[in-house]
Amino acid sequence: MGKLQWQPREEEREVMEAVWLQIKGACEKLKEETNATDATIRKMLKEMADCYYS
């Protein structure tokens, strides 16, 4: 039996897009101001998500 895939409502999608733009901007700023690589940023984001949403 397959898993049902979550489909966000319009309001949820709009919030996720706004949050994504903020995260993207913060990551770009971090890369400009430090020697952080994409891999470093990816690891940081995963650690934060694991910490708060696991």
Side-chain angles (χ1 to χ4, degrees), residues 37-49:
T37 63
D38 288 345
T40 303
I41 293 171
R42 188 177 304 112
K43 181 179 177 185
M44 290 169 48
L45 292 172
K46 181 167 180 3
E47 286 179 8
M48 287 188 292

Side-chain angles (χ1 to χ4, degrees), residues 1-53:
M1 183 171 206
K3 289 184 178 181
L4 293 177
Q5 193 169 11
W6 175 70
Q7 295 294 321
R9 295 185 315 242
E10 182 65 23
E11 309 86 47
E12 293 168 330
R13 189 186 61 74
E14 289 174 4
V15 170
M16 289 188 309
E17 286 180 11
V19 169
W20 169 245
L21 290 174
Q22 291 177 341
I23 292 170
K24 185 178 175 186
C27 291
E28 289 172 359
K29 185 175 181 179
L30 181 64
K31 283 174 67 175
E32 289 173 5
E33 295 179 1
T34 68
N35 62 351
T37 63
D38 288 345
T40 303
I41 293 171
R42 188 177 304 112
K43 181 179 177 185
M44 290 169 48
L45 292 172
K46 181 167 180 3
E47 286 179 8
M48 287 188 292
D50 289 347
C51 178
Y52 291 104
Y53 301 104

